[in-house]
Amino acid sequence: MATVRICVCGDEAVGKSSIITSLVKDTFISTKIQPVLPQVTLPPSIGTPENVTTTIVDTSALPQERANLNKEIRKSNVILLVYSDHYSYERVALFWMPHFRSLGVNVPVVLCANKSDLSGKVNTDQVVEEEMLPVMAEFKEIDSCIRTSAKEHHNINEVFFLCQKAVTDPIAPLFDSKESNLRPACVSALQRIFYLCDRDQDGYLSDTEIHDFQIKCFGKPLSQDDLDNIKQAIQKHSPNSVSERGIDQDGFVSLNKIFAEKGRHETIWIILRTFYYTDSLGLRDNFLHPQFDVPPYTSAELSPVGYRFFVDLFLLFDKDNDGGLNSSELSALFAPTPGLPDSWLDSAFPSSAVRNEAGHITLQGWLAQWSMTTFFSPATTLAYLAYLGFNPPDPRASTTTALHLTKSRKHRKRPTRVERNVLLAYILGSSGAGKSSLLDAFLSRPFSPTYHPTIKPRTAVNSVELPGGKQCTLILEELGELEPAILENQAKLAACDILVYAYDSSDPDSFAHISALRAQYNHLNDLPALYVALKADRDKSMQRGEVQPEDYTAGLGMNKPLHVSVTWASISELFVRIAEAAMWPATAFPKSEEGGAAIGLDRMSLYMALGATVCAGAAFFAIWRRVGKD
């Protein structure tokens, strides 16, 4: 917030103007001053919290000034309500607080008992107990209270500091004074902060973790005496929350409740803001969604730092060391987030990735799932990196360091390798061709002869090892009943690296769907493709179309269909072929269309050979001349 606007209200002659004058002049002005002072602006350099500008507005309680008073109340961020005797104190509850409510303002009120120098021997505790606490209990909008004396310059700076803090560090979003408890949103935020600071996820903040937390939030170490005092304070409120292992989550929340009860809510705000919380206790939007633009023909992938983070996260939460994350481990891992990403729920996670025999997501499947999420929605990955506590190597950097952009692949027909490690293949074919079984085989699932038609698009993601040992992530997507809509969507097709036309080699009508598809959507010719004959373990049938698949692909100048079966152990070779074709898309276009590129390569080779011959001849001639002269 750039400005704190304080409206000073109260009955006539309670000392409103004197308080303002005492602040500005730093001394009491005994001479008569004007009834209503002009607006005063304090620059950020004068000890204001959060480096804000403070504007102080004096008002009059006279009936003829009521319209101006109401206008200033509505414009304010905080109200300083001043009283000085029994009559003006009674007017706080009888007039002023109901009047504020009638105006519909929702701003904090700081209650100020001025002219404490006239109270004689009455101490502050007695005034607080008898006067202030009852009215604070009745009106929850009263944020704090204080005794002042403009004549003695007592608590003058402090009263305006309270007004500033009521705006910059409000207690209302944190603490319910009526219930004497932290508000649920505050508790949730603190629980997430505890999760992020509990580096070993043992349920306790060790002394080392507490020291790290102290440095991160307050920039200075915590002495052993201070740490012992904190533990003692927690034990008084929550005896079982402190042990040799450290402070548990309930103890951490109790500590912050103590801060709120003692009026140290600015400490809670420092903690919350260090972890990117806003005044409404939500995470900052620029923290969850930093700017990360993906240009056309490029894609987003996890960087090595991003991969390392998700590997460490998996290993940290695999408590039983079985190589998989069960439901309880996943719940614990996603505790500081809104839950599983929506895209994961849509893809029926964890069935979209590799699982172990118990059905739990493996590290291989976990990394592949995040690679797919980053490919389709980098914004989702960035948000979850923020939720899960990713810390970039450079503290000044953002979560975007966990991602990187691939090189553009606009010109797919060039005989060059695509510089990306995450590849998307659409599996196209007629119903019953075996597409779903192909996805199951990709995830190493056992073959099931039962036919289940695919209605919604289904994805499967896994890593594939290419010749030479290089790993890539391959996403296979079966389009289901949305196949026509997706094939008409240019943005969807632009994201696809290769089309896999699959048909049932034992069904005489299966290939007709592919030829009809290509005839209907001519733009599919602009994408690299592979033809796959599934169910090759069955008797091959002649297709009823005008052209057999082998002749069809030959007419296009493409390789013959690959005959495979998901029941064969060699099915894994198909996925390597798909990934290779996606990596080298020029190999998956009709050869007639590749002719230009091939001729270009031949010509370049010829020019390079001629150049080398000319250079060699020139060198030989120079040596011959030198030898002749000698």
Side-chain angles (χ1 to χ4, degrees):
M1 182 173 295
T3 302
V4 172
R5 189 177 182 90
I6 305 171
C7 183
V8 184
C9 300
D11 288 350
E12 293 298 300
V14 294
K16 302 187 297 294
S17 301
S18 295
I19 289 176
I20 298 173
T21 304
S22 184
L23 173 72
V24 175
K25 301 292 186 181
D26 204 29
T27 186
F28 178 67
I29 305 299
S30 57
T31 57
K32 185 176 177 65
I33 57 178
Q34 62 193 92
V36 178
L37 296 175
Q39 178 177 300
V40 175
T41 299
L42 305 178
S45 57
I46 306 182
T48 54
E50 304 298 325
N51 202 31
V52 298
T53 298
T54 303
T55 300
I56 303 172
V57 181
D58 194 10
T59 62
S60 170
L62 295 176
Q64 59 268 30
E65 296 292 334
R66 190 61 47 82
N68 186 63
L69 170 68
N70 294 344
K71 182 184 73 172
E72 293 299 339
I73 290 172
R74 289 192 175 101
K75 289 168 62 178
S76 66
N77 303 120
V78 58
I79 298 171
L80 175 58
L81 180 56
V82 183
Y83 73 92
S84 61
D85 53 24
H86 182 71
Y87 174 77
S88 57
Y89 166 73
E90 292 291 333
R91 292 256 300 164
V92 168
L94 294 176
F95 171 75
W96 286 106
M97 294 307 299
H99 182 66
F100 298 153
R101 288 182 174 181
S102 70
L103 295 176
V105 295
N106 184 27
V107 296
V109 176
V110 174
L111 187 61
C112 172
N114 193 29
K115 302 184 181 181
S116 61
D117 54 292
L118 301 179
S119 300
K121 297 182 179 180
V122 177
N123 61 41
T124 299
D125 290 342
Q126 183 179 350
V127 173
V128 170
E129 183 72 26
E130 297 178 359
E131 294 181 4
M132 295 179 169
L133 289 182
V135 74
M136 287 183 72
E138 183 178 356
F139 300 98
K140 298 305 177 184
E141 50 269 65
I142 299 179
D143 182 85
S144 55
C145 55
I146 190 172
R147 292 185 76 202
T148 63
S149 171
K151 184 176 183 179
E152 297 179 349
H153 199 71
H154 174 62
N155 279 346
I156 296 301
N157 291 338
E158 286 78 2
V159 68
F160 288 101
F161 185 78
L162 283 178
C163 291
Q164 293 163 339
K165 296 299 269 185
V167 178
T168 61
D169 299 325
I171 185 65
L174 306 179
F175 191 72
D176 185 340
S177 55
K178 184 177 181 180
E179 300 292 334
S180 191
N181 276 319
L182 293 172
R183 296 192 182 275
C186 180
V187 173
S188 295
L190 292 171
Q191 288 173 339
R192 176 179 173 272
I193 291 170
F194 178 91
Y195 165 100
L196 297 179
C197 295
D198 182 15
R199 293 295 183 184
D200 56 4
Q201 287 298 311
D202 67 344
Y204 293 86
L205 292 184
S206 65
D207 289 359
T208 300
E209 290 168 337
I210 293 172
H211 281 294
D212 292 341
F213 166 80
Q214 172 75 14
I215 294 292
K216 181 180 179 69
C217 294
F218 304 101
K220 56 184 179 181
L222 195 67
S223 69
Q224 189 59 46
D225 289 342
D226 289 338
L227 181 56
D228 292 340
N229 291 335
I230 287 173
K231 290 181 178 180
Q232 290 174 7
I234 293 173
Q235 281 183 313
K236 290 180 181 179
H237 291 77
S238 184
N240 298 323
S241 292
V242 179
S243 68
E244 293 182 357
R245 300 175 67 182
I247 300 169
D248 67 10
Q249 186 182 90
D250 290 340
F252 180 72
V253 174
S254 294
L255 175 63
N256 284 275
K257 181 184 176 185
I258 294 170
F259 290 150
E261 290 172 337
K262 291 187 175 181
R264 291 180 55 192
H265 40 282
E266 70 275 5
T267 302
I268 304 175
W269 278 116
I270 291 173
I271 295 170
L272 292 171
R273 287 168 181 150
T274 299
F275 287 86
Y276 304 100
Y277 281 91
T278 64
D279 291 351
S280 59
L281 296 183
L283 287 171
R284 280 181 6 211
D285 188 66
N286 62 352
F287 173 61
L288 286 178
H289 307 291
Q291 184 174 358
F292 187 80
D293 298 324
V294 182
Y297 306 109
T298 64
S299 62
E301 296 180 358
L302 291 174
S303 68
V305 174
Y307 270 112
R308 183 74 258 170
F309 173 76
F310 284 116
V311 169
D312 292 343
L313 204 60
F314 181 96
L315 297 177
L316 182 62
F317 282 89
D318 183 18
K319 297 297 184 181
D320 53 12
N321 295 316
D322 66 343
L325 295 179
N326 58 40
S327 57
S328 62
E329 290 168 340
L330 279 172
S331 296
L333 191 155
F334 282 99
T337 75
L340 292 177
D342 290 340
S343 59
W344 291 29
L345 297 175
D346 292 340
S347 64
F349 175 84
S351 64
S352 58
V354 177
R355 295 179 288 177
N356 60 19
E357 293 180 356
H360 306 151
I361 187 77
T362 64
L363 177 59
Q364 179 182 347
W366 171 254
L367 295 176
Q369 185 75 24
W370 279 113
S371 294
M372 179 171 68
T373 304
T374 306
F375 179 87
F376 285 125
S377 177
T380 298
T381 300
L382 289 172
Y384 275 79
L385 285 165
Y387 285 129
L388 294 167
F390 170 76
N391 291 314
D394 183 353
R396 296 168 297 179
S398 71
T399 51
T400 56
T401 56
L403 273 59
H404 73 90
L405 294 174
T406 62
K407 291 184 179 180
S408 173
R409 60 149 171 71
K410 181 177 181 180
H411 304 289
R412 304 197 199 200
K413 296 182 182 180
R414 290 179 179 174
T416 55
R417 179 181 175 276
V418 171
E419 296 295 330
R420 54 174 58 188
N421 296 311
V422 182
L423 306 164
L424 171 62
Y426 286 159
I427 312 298
L428 308 179
S430 62
S431 299
K435 302 185 296 296
S436 297
S437 295
L438 185 65
L439 267 62
D440 287 337
F442 185 47
L443 300 175
S444 302
R445 308 273 166 78
F447 171 70
S448 172
T450 306
Y451 173 65
H452 298 285
T454 301
I455 308 300
K456 293 168 45 180
R458 179 193 170 195
T459 57
V461 61
N462 199 354
S463 59
V464 174
E465 184 173 342
L466 302 173
K470 180 179 174 60
Q471 295 271 347
C472 73
T473 299
L474 180 61
I475 305 167
L476 301 184
E477 183 166 355
E478 181 186 1
L479 306 184
E481 294 185 354
L482 290 182
E483 183 178 272
I486 292 175
L487 295 184
E488 291 174 355
N489 189 321
Q490 291 298 327
K492 291 282 189 182
L493 291 177
C496 176
D497 291 285
I498 189 166
L499 300 175
V500 178
Y501 295 109
Y503 68 97
D504 179 357
S505 61
S506 66
D507 179 359
D509 298 313
S510 185
F511 191 79
H513 178 82
I514 293 175
S515 56
L517 206 63
R518 285 178 54 82
Q520 182 179 358
Y521 303 102
N522 291 326
H523 54 270
L524 297 183
N525 294 325
D526 297 330
L527 294 174
L530 279 181
Y531 290 81
V532 179
L534 296 174
K535 305 183 184 179
D537 56 316
R538 301 181 182 180
D539 292 336
K540 181 180 178 181
S541 296
M542 294 291 289
Q543 297 295 311
R544 291 200 177 100
E546 296 179 358
V547 184
Q548 294 303 305
E550 290 78 7
D551 297 330
Y552 184 89
T553 53
L556 292 173
M558 299 189 69
N559 293 325
K560 294 181 179 180
L562 301 172
H563 287 259
V564 297
S565 170
V566 297
T567 61
W568 294 348
S570 60
I571 188 64
S572 59
E573 296 176 9
L574 171 63
F575 307 125
V576 176
R577 291 287 298 274
I578 295 173
E580 283 185 311
M583 283 278 193
W584 297 88
T587 64
F589 280 104
K591 291 183 174 59
S592 59
E593 298 179 15
E594 285 186 317
I599 292 171
L601 278 179
D602 292 342
R603 286 178 179 170
M604 184 173 287
S605 300
L606 177 60
Y607 295 152
M608 289 177 67
L610 287 173
T613 303
V614 171
C615 291
F620 175 78
F621 181 70
I623 293 172
W624 176 79
R625 288 191 63 186
R626 180 175 296 178
V627 172
K629 288 180 180 180
D630 292 342

